[in-house]
Amino acid sequence: MTSPIHLDESPIRLERLRERLPQWLQRFLPIGGGQAHDHHGKGMFGFTVFLLSESIIFVSFFVSYIALRLTTVQWLPPGIKGPELSTSVIVHSVVLLSSSLVIQLAERALKRRKLNKFRLLWLLTSVMGAYFLVGEVQEWLNLDFGVSTGLVGGTFYLLTGFHGLHVLAGILLQMIMLARSFIRGNYNKTHFGVSATTLFWHFVDGIWVILFSLLYLW
């Protein structure tokens, strides 16, 4: 019995677009005009759209922050140093960004059926993410301003806090995927959850690069 075909009636010819993309990007678009059995492709496409909607929220925060910085005469209140580029900030930022490589290696290990290696690298990614969150909380405790300290306080805690929630969500997703790896045969046919979580983690790391530039380098 052949699988039913769902015709792609969208104005964008996804199949033609997919063929022009690099191979590493092709997995985020469904194949074959929306074949019923292409659950992984459909899922990744839907998850990519979800991340794009999340990007809109972050972009609105970034634009607001830039506009406020450019239009505020005295950004830092008297006696306030503001967020500083300390060694601790650099270290936990490097750890977070390095975790993108680790989680990518973990997904590759799963594709090659190396389950134990996947579990080890996947768990290491979660530990690196948790290390970043602990470092961020420690930084908050050592700052000389709070949420109510003018625009610098409100914007800093909003941006870093919202990003921190995404890091926490990524760690929780990783724990769920790790637990599912102990279910026999769970990842034999598809590993959409692992691929989606990996993509989400890359997204979180990419957002931090922008935040780091705005908050500490500007």
Side-chain angles (χ1 to χ4, degrees), residues 98-201:
S98 300
S99 66
S100 266
L101 174 61
V102 177
I103 199 172
Q104 192 65 46
L105 293 175
E107 184 185 8
R108 182 181 299 180
L110 181 61
K111 290 180 179 178
R112 297 178 178 178
R113 308 286 182 176
K114 298 179 180 179
L115 196 56
N116 288 332
K117 183 178 181 180
F118 160 75
R119 290 168 179 163
L120 178 62
L121 292 172
W122 200 257
L123 180 60
L124 178 59
T125 304
S126 300
V127 172
M128 295 172 78
Y131 178 87
F132 171 82
L133 286 181
V134 172
E136 189 170 55
V137 171
Q138 289 178 342
E139 184 196 6
W140 288 351
L141 296 176
N142 294 325
L143 291 173
D144 61 348
F145 61 90
V147 180
S148 60
T149 308
L151 289 175
V152 62
T155 54
F156 178 84
Y157 285 99
L158 173 64
L159 291 171
T160 56
F162 192 58
H163 174 264
L165 286 176
H166 281 71
V167 175
L168 179 60
I171 294 174
L172 293 177
L173 288 173
Q174 290 166 18
M175 290 295 96
I176 294 173
M177 295 303 108
L178 181 63
R180 289 176 63 86
S181 72
F182 290 95
I183 302 175
R184 175 174 290 185
N186 183 70
Y187 291 135
N188 287 345
K189 293 183 179 180
T190 181
H191 47 83
F192 162 71
V194 170
S195 296
T197 303
T198 300
L199 179 61
F200 181 80
W201 199 249

